Amino acid sequence: MTSRVYKLHSTLELPLEDVYEFFENSDLPADVEEVDITRRNNTLIISAVPATDDISKYTPTAQLKASITENRVYEEEPETEPGKPPRRSGGPQWGAFEEEEEIESELVEYACFKGDRETVLQNTALQYPMFEVLVQIALEAEKGALTAVAADDETLDAIRIVDGERQAASVTVAEDPSSDEDDDGVNWRDNEFIGS
């Protein structure tokens, strides 16, 4: 058995600046020499560059894909000065000549690794090493979750990371509901009331 990702779902969001910073300082898996980061409009594509010549240059290597969105981030509301009444919400107050302070904000670009395996982690060559990179990114993300079932050599692993923290996870084998025989239903093939 080789290392492989069987199931993956991600809702990770982190500032785009943090993603670039992550790749400047991170240790990549041994099979990945470096990554190519490409931005096409509102899509970020992070492609693996193989460390060896075993993979043909015409074989597409695994890539992580994220959509880029802009979110307005507000700074903390300033504390009121002692002896000064707290800020009021609502419309203008008669007799209030003080100007309301606006809360500082800025537009921040976020990389959103959202979707299932085929959406977030594409192509099979170097797929498991790029999955390991995605796990590292999940540990850096303050928002979102990553759940996955992957096999590393002989071991099947369940991975669950929520808001940058590893959570307990397990793999459960369940019977396929479609294989259950339902005795309460009507068997239309052997129904004596329907003629052939």
Side-chain angles (χ1 to χ4, degrees):
M1 181 189 277
T2 58
S3 298
R4 188 167 165 207
V5 180
Y6 291 99
K7 192 168 182 149
L8 181 146
H9 183 73
S10 174
T11 59
L12 301 173
E13 284 184 34
L14 62 164
L16 185 58
E17 192 175 292
D18 291 359
V19 174
Y20 284 114
E21 206 171 285
F22 169 81
F23 283 106
E24 285 175 10
N25 303 318
S26 70
D27 291 328
L28 297 172
D31 297 336
V32 179
E33 184 176 331
E34 61 180 325
V35 293
D36 283 336
I37 302 175
T38 308
R39 181 175 177 171
R40 292 187 194 134
N41 298 325
N42 290 331
T43 303
L44 188 71
I45 300 168
I46 303 163
S47 304
V49 176
T52 63
D53 294 335
D54 296 349
I55 298 172
S56 165
K57 66 179 181 177
Y58 300 109
T59 302
T61 56
Q63 58 187 24
L64 299 174
K65 202 169 183 184
S67 59
I68 298 172
T69 60
E70 281 187 344
N71 292 337
R72 186 162 293 283
V73 177
Y74 293 91
E75 289 183 13
E76 297 282 326
E77 194 168 314
E79 295 288 322
T80 57
E81 294 173 24
K84 196 174 182 183
R87 294 175 53 179
R88 293 184 186 154
S89 60
Q93 303 291 321
W94 293 107
F97 296 108
E98 291 182 32
E99 217 174 281
E100 287 277 327
E101 288 182 39
E102 280 191 37
I103 300 172
E104 292 289 322
S105 68
E106 64 176 320
L107 279 175
V108 177
E109 288 185 310
Y110 278 79
C112 304
F113 297 89
K114 292 189 175 186
D116 294 321
R117 187 185 65 182
E118 293 77 19
T119 309
V120 177
L121 179 61
Q122 301 173 335
N123 303 334
T124 52
L126 298 176
Q127 185 185 72
Y128 190 82
M130 285 304 279
F131 168 70
E132 292 178 305
V133 170
L134 183 62
V135 168
Q136 291 176 29
I137 290 171
L139 292 168
E140 297 289 320
E142 292 179 9
K143 186 176 179 186
L146 173 71
T147 54
V149 175
D152 185 13
D153 292 328
E154 299 291 323
T155 310
L156 197 61
D157 290 323
I159 293 114
R160 185 166 185 253
I161 301 169
V162 179
D163 299 336
E165 301 214 359
R166 280 192 186 268
Q167 305 284 320
S170 62
V171 177
T172 304
V173 178
E175 195 171 324
D176 186 4
S178 64
S179 66
D180 290 343
E181 288 296 323
D182 190 7
D183 295 334
D184 298 335
V186 176
N187 185 351
W188 293 104
R189 294 175 201 259
D190 296 330
N191 194 321
E192 62 184 89
F193 299 108
I194 298 175
S196 341

